[in-house]
Amino acid sequence: MSQRTTRRRTVSAATACTLLVAGLATALAPSAGADTVTPTVHCTLPAGQGESEGPQDVTVELTPATAAPGEQVTAKVTLGPGPAKSTVTLDDVPTTPTIDLAMRGGATGTVTVSGPEMLLDVMTGESPPIPPYEGKFTVPAGAAGQVQFTVVQMVSHTKLFGSTFQTVCAVVSGGDQAVARLTVEDGGGEQPTLGVGSPNAYTGTEATLTGAKFVPNATPVAALCLTDGTGCNERLFSSTNLAIDGAGNLSGTAKLAAAVPDGDYLVQVADGAKSATAPLHVSTFVPSGDPIWDALAPASGPVGTVVQVSGSNLPPNSPIRLNGVNAQGGLESGSKNFTTTGDGRLVAAPYTVSTPNTAGVRATLLNAPGAPKYVLPFSVAAAQGTQEVQVSLAPGSLSMAQAGNGIDFGTATLNGEAQTLNGSLSQVTVVDARGGNLGWSLTGTMTDLAAANGTERIPAENISWTPSCAATPGSLNEIANGTAGPLGSAASMLCAVTADGHTTGGKFTADAQMALTTPEFAAAGAYTGTLTLTLV
């Protein structure tokens, strides 16, 4: 969140096209107990506005005064009037101050303290009034004993007219005096851990961060540091989505800025009290060969179709313009711009086909030399309409029909021995048109065969069958044969369909080979009986 300073506010139309000189100055007194040094600084002004040199009061107060390696220290920076003077009068100028401090004694290297973005009112011929600001830095892992800090340079980052300008005020003399001191002791306790997934990442891509032993539910802040742990800069991550849960576990992603120079770094995550680092090599993706384009998805459709454009091996972090074109290459619809990922991909960029003459979607690589163009084919389909078709099917019945109503075993001559006579069941056709998921069974019972006198009999068990059943083409189920064997008053299975949770139905045929075994001795004559078939 931006801070605000209040001063005289006079803005003229003439200043609207003039760059601000963002120098460093404040009229506020330093905090009690803080060290103050007055080195000579040389300021380089932005946009060719020249240079200036002179004394600069700098006060830095560290809290706490004693810390352990890996812990975070808050630095309060108070600046006196500097040599840089503004050439314009402007209101509400977004400015972010930073200061680089060199370490000596118990640690070496440089730490950078960044203040919050603040809105400044500046006056022509005066040093821009930067109020005291606070920022954090992490005590290096190898620090021990007393560490002294000296001023290296101060840099202000000013946003104006859509660009960011830097005013650098570097110490040229008097920079050997310590502006702050810190006692580094082993604080014991567990230090947090950090993992970055892959040790290599492309600029503009997301690194997946995990960790443990952070302060539970604290707010994590990610920065990219030099390999010695100094020069940590939060702005080298363009965005972060990190969280620490109630158990102190870190999860989320941090997206590298597109302008990070290639090289080896440390990713640092701080929770306000401690921090952890992990190595990361950052490089810029370099395409090899021609771009690889996926076919449009879909590659055809009516006017109004939204197609997804995707590809790989493209210039990273670069704009791509999409246009609909006709068969002659002329424009058929407006442009739409997208940006490739840090690893050179264009991911599912939507584009709407808006005219019937569109023959493709043209992708233009805007930042590539010569702005090469690639046309991805698309065919416009004729307009189509739909009508809903409905029909209702009422359930039918389960029925059967017989090809005949008799079984004739023929004639046998009694000879004092049992004889076997063969016959066939008249074919039965079963139709299941119920349209449900019901099974069915076809069974048979047999009476004794009786002579004409009504007295002499051949037992029903002397008749046996061998079932043979089949489903006709188009039927929804298989049919099972009953068991071969003798018949009698108890029902014997001829055919069956078992319900299995699916729709049943179809036309089925039921046949059986029949056999009659004659008694060794019996009265001569004609014998008849009844085979009853039951479908349920």
Side-chain angles (χ1 to χ4, degrees):
M1 181 178 296
S2 298
Q3 295 182 352
R4 182 75 171 84
T5 63
T6 302
R7 296 195 61 187
R8 290 174 294 164
R9 304 178 63 184
T10 303
V11 182
S12 65
T15 63
C17 60
T18 307
L19 293 178
L20 168 71
V21 175
L24 303 170
T26 182
L28 302 179
S31 303
D35 291 336
T36 300
V37 297
T38 308
T40 298
V41 297
H42 183 89
C43 298
T44 302
L45 310 181
Q49 296 181 89
E51 301 176 358
S52 61
E53 188 170 304
Q56 174 80 65
D57 288 344
V58 182
T59 304
V60 177
E61 181 181 10
L62 303 182
T63 306
T66 300
E71 289 188 342
Q72 290 224 297
V73 174
T74 299
K76 181 178 180 180
V77 180
T78 304
L79 303 174
K85 310 295 182 183
S86 177
T87 61
V88 296
T89 297
L90 290 174
D91 287 347
D92 295 339
V93 179
T95 303
T96 302
T98 67
I99 186 170
D100 292 337
L101 302 174
M103 296 178 290
R104 67 189 184 193
T108 58
T110 303
V111 296
T112 300
V113 178
S114 298
E117 183 180 88
M118 52 188 69
L119 300 178
L120 302 184
D121 294 341
V122 298
M123 301 296 295
T124 302
E126 296 184 8
S127 297
I130 295 180
Y133 64 89
E134 292 184 355
K136 294 179 180 291
F137 67 88
T138 300
V139 179
Q146 188 180 76
V147 179
Q148 296 182 352
F149 296 84
T150 59
V151 180
V152 176
Q153 66 177 8
M154 293 154 288
V155 181
S156 63
H157 306 265
T158 301
K159 295 179 181 178
L160 200 61
F161 310 129
S163 300
T164 299
F165 302 94
Q166 292 185 357
T167 297
V168 180
C169 292
V171 173
V172 293
S173 64
D176 57 342
Q177 301 180 50
V179 70
R181 295 170 178 81
L182 177 71
T183 300
V184 180
E185 298 178 349
D186 186 0
E190 293 184 307
Q191 293 296 317
T193 60
L194 179 66
V196 295
S198 172
N200 300 289
Y202 291 121
T203 57
T205 62
E206 290 184 339
T208 299
L209 307 185
T210 57
K213 301 178 183 178
F214 286 91
V215 175
N217 300 314
T219 300
V221 176
L224 201 62
C225 311
L226 300 177
T227 54
D228 62 359
T230 63
C232 298
N233 191 342
E234 299 173 18
R235 298 180 184 85
L236 295 183
F237 287 113
S238 60
S239 63
T240 59
N241 183 19
L242 299 171
I244 300 173
D245 63 19
N249 297 312
L250 171 77
S251 61
T253 59
K255 185 175 183 179
L256 289 161
V260 177
D262 292 3
D264 292 318
Y265 295 90
L266 290 178
V267 176
Q268 178 195 82
V269 174
D271 59 16
K274 297 181 179 181
S275 67
T277 59
L280 181 67
H281 179 77
V282 179
S283 60
T284 302
F285 176 78
V286 179
S288 176
D290 294 330
I292 300 172
W293 295 101
D294 301 324
L296 297 179
S300 65
V303 172
T305 297
V306 177
V307 298
Q308 302 295 331
V309 184
S310 58
S312 57
N313 201 41
L314 300 165
N317 307 305
S318 298
I320 287 184
R321 176 174 297 161
L322 302 181
N323 291 97
V325 294
N326 55 35
Q328 292 74 40
L331 295 180
E332 286 292 331
S333 56
S335 62
K336 194 171 183 181
N337 290 353
F338 295 91
T339 301
T340 60
T341 60
D343 53 359
R345 294 181 297 123
L346 182 64
V347 182
Y351 186 84
T352 302
V353 175
S354 58
T355 68
N357 294 325
T358 300
V361 175
R362 185 175 68 196
T364 304
L365 310 184
L366 297 178
N367 282 1
K373 298 175 174 60
Y374 303 86
V375 176
L376 311 178
F378 182 86
S379 60
V380 176
Q384 297 176 330
T386 60
Q387 295 188 15
E388 183 177 321
V389 178
Q390 292 183 335
V391 65
S392 296
L393 300 178
S397 62
L398 178 67
S399 62
M400 60 178 284
Q402 301 182 102
N405 59 359
I407 303 171
D408 186 0
F409 285 106
T411 301
T413 301
L414 294 171
N415 59 6
E417 294 184 4
Q419 301 178 60
T420 299
L421 305 176
N422 296 316
S424 297
L425 177 72
S426 293
Q427 188 178 71
V428 178
T429 300
V430 177
V431 176
D432 182 4
R434 294 171 293 177
N437 57 357
L438 303 172
W440 56 265
S441 64
L442 180 61
T443 60
T445 58
M446 186 71 207
T447 65
D448 292 343
L449 301 181
N453 60 15
T455 301
E456 302 296 333
R457 294 179 178 277
I458 297 175
E461 290 79 4
N462 282 32
I463 298 176
S464 64
W465 66 6
T466 302
S468 176
C469 307
T472 63
S475 298
L476 301 180
N477 314 99
E478 296 182 353
I479 187 171
N481 295 323
T483 302
L487 300 174
S489 58
S492 297
M493 184 70 69
L494 177 59
C495 303
V497 167
T498 301
D500 59 2
H502 299 88
T503 302
T504 57
K507 181 183 287 188
F508 309 90
T509 58
D511 295 284
Q513 294 298 312
M514 310 293 293
L516 168 62
T517 301
T518 65
E520 295 175 353
F521 304 96
Y527 291 78
T528 60
T530 301
L531 172 63
T532 301
L533 299 175
T534 303
L535 175 64
V536 292

